[in-house]
Every structure is written in C-alpha cells, then in structure tokens.
Amino acid sequence: ELTIIEESGSNEKYTIHFLDNMKLILEDECGCACVFKRYDGKVDEEYPLVETPKYEAVDLGLSVKWAIHNVGATSPEGFGGYFSWGEIVQKTTYIRDSCVTYYKKLDDISGNRLYDVATAHWGDGWRMPSKAEMQEIIDSCVWERTMMNNVIGYKVTGLNGNYIFLPGAGYIFSSSHCLEENDCCYYWSSSPDEDDAACYLHIWHGEIYVDKRYRYYGQSVRPVKD
C-alpha cells in the first residue's frame, strides 16, 4: 500500500498493482486506477511527458483488429512476456500460490487495466481478446504452420488477404519453459472459466481450438483493438 498526501492535506491510500522503473499503477479505495509514468525530460516540456509507443493492428476482416506482435515483444516472431491470467507483471515462478486471481470471482477482464495486461501495458483501446473473438479468428481465417526469421509458428490469414504471425512461444509452468519443439502456442483470452481457470487459444501440432486452463500458467497475450 501507498499513502499520498494531497495538496489539500488529506491522506489518500492506494494499492500498488504494478511498479517498475517506468510506470506505477495505483488503485484507490473506490476501485479507480491511476497510472503514473516516469518523467525524464526537461521541466518546461509540454505534457505528455513520455511519448506513448505506437502499436500496429491488422485488419483480418473480423470484428476486431489483431496486433502484429505479443505483449512484451517488438517483432511478430518475438515471444514477448509470459503472464498468469489476470496479472499484468511477469514472475519467476508460475504456481497456484503465486497467482493473485486464482479462485477470485471475476467477470470478463477485457479492457480492465487492473487485470488486462494488454490495456495495462499498451493503453486504452488495446485489450485481451474474448473467448468469442478467439473462436472467430479460428473459424474465419486460414492457418498455416510456417517459420518467420527462424521461429516456428502459425501464419493466420483473413479472407481479405491480410495476416498475422503467432510464434510458438510455449508456456511456463512453475519455473519451466515448455516449448515442445516450438510447435505450441498458448494465448490467454479475457474470458474466465469458473474461479480457478480461464479460456485460452490452444495451438499444438496443428490442433487449433479454444480450451480452458488453470490461471497460474504463464502464457502469451496477443492484444486486439476495436
């Protein structure tokens, strides 16, 4: 917790949800989130003090646009970060006892910056895809196992000819990174399934479907945009 003394002299208590050398996310007692970014410029510079990175979305002819790379990556073939469902920071160990959302009653977290890692890291407008949106990309696109810059993954092409690449980033259980010959892709959705599991996109040796998994696994996130 963090207590801030405001200009009025009142003390306001906040819960720290995310903290690194560039960003601080707080939640007040009413459940409202506040985001603070590190300022490295001159005092007389105009706001915004830190330029927001530009992320690209691809129109596949679906109800939402899909990002070209994972959260934490800088290229389509980059693995990016691994996150437990409903958490916005990476960890060293992915087990039940370290998962803050395990057995926590939550509705769909899409767009909720306290639990949606895409919104928390990339800003408003970006979010985790829902279970229905994952089913849509399965049903409406052509999937091809291929390689990009020596990384095995899947090229997903829409009916309009545009495509994205999903790298076989595997998953993390406990502290073990499971790649299975780079032929497995596991991407979290924003949709919960009971209080201990959540829905995810399951791609393994050509099998592609939406499944559910315990929330404490460390998996990739590919954001979407309306």
Side-chain angles (χ1 to χ4, degrees):
E1 289 188 348
L2 177 68
T3 299
I4 296 178
I5 302 176
E6 299 188 340
E7 288 183 341
S8 63
S10 62
N11 293 347
E12 298 293 336
K13 291 186 178 180
Y14 294 87
T15 300
I16 299 174
H17 278 269
F18 179 76
L19 175 64
D20 64 10
N21 63 348
M22 291 301 296
K23 185 184 294 185
L24 170 66
I25 299 179
L26 305 176
E27 180 187 7
D28 65 18
E29 294 177 322
C30 297
C32 297
C34 306
V35 180
F36 299 89
K37 294 182 179 180
R38 183 180 179 87
Y39 176 45
D40 291 325
K42 297 179 180 179
V43 175
D44 58 354
E45 282 184 350
E46 213 174 295
Y47 185 84
L49 306 177
V50 179
E51 184 178 353
T52 302
K54 304 298 182 183
Y55 301 106
E56 185 178 347
V58 178
D59 182 4
L60 299 174
L62 307 176
S63 61
V64 293
K65 297 178 181 179
W66 286 74
I68 64 170
H69 59 73
N70 295 344
V71 173
T74 57
S75 64
E77 71 276 12
F79 288 175
Y82 294 84
F83 304 91
S84 294
W85 187 84
E87 297 186 9
I88 60 176
V89 294
Q90 297 190 75
K91 301 178 292 189
T92 56
T93 305
Y94 294 80
I95 57 176
R96 182 177 62 183
D97 292 343
S98 70
C99 181
V100 299
T101 67
Y102 194 75
Y103 268 109
K104 185 172 184 177
K105 183 69 175 178
L106 289 170
D107 295 323
D108 195 294
I109 61 174
S110 184
N112 185 335
R113 66 172 56 250
L114 297 179
Y115 301 104
D116 186 327
V117 64
T119 307
H121 285 248
W122 288 18
D124 293 335
W126 291 100
R127 58 182 179 82
M128 297 169 67
S130 66
K131 175 184 177 181
E133 289 160 348
M134 285 188 161
Q135 190 63 53
E136 179 186 39
I137 196 174
I138 293 174
D139 296 338
S140 303
C141 294
V142 176
W143 293 69
E144 176 189 2
R145 184 179 181 271
T146 185
M147 184 177 289
M148 178 179 286
N149 295 329
N150 296 318
V151 176
I152 296 174
Y154 287 81
K155 180 180 179 181
V156 186
T157 306
L159 296 178
N160 58 9
N162 296 333
Y163 69 89
I164 60 173
F165 179 78
L166 298 175
Y171 63 91
I172 299 179
F173 172 71
S174 185
S175 57
S176 299
H177 188 190
C178 304
L179 283 173
E180 300 184 23
E181 300 178 352
N182 292 92
D183 200 15
C184 56
C185 311
Y186 301 105
Y187 288 83
W188 282 124
S189 80
S190 62
S191 305
D193 188 287
E194 301 177 349
D195 292 342
D196 61 350
C199 300
Y200 74 104
L201 179 62
H202 177 109
I203 311 170
W204 184 76
H205 291 283
E207 297 181 354
I208 306 168
Y209 54 92
V210 177
D211 203 352
K212 65 179 181 179
R213 169 169 275 178
Y214 288 128
R215 297 177 180 182
Y216 50 80
Y217 278 77
Q219 299 188 158
S220 306
V221 172
R222 178 61 63 95
V224 297
K225 192 172 188 179
D226 293 313

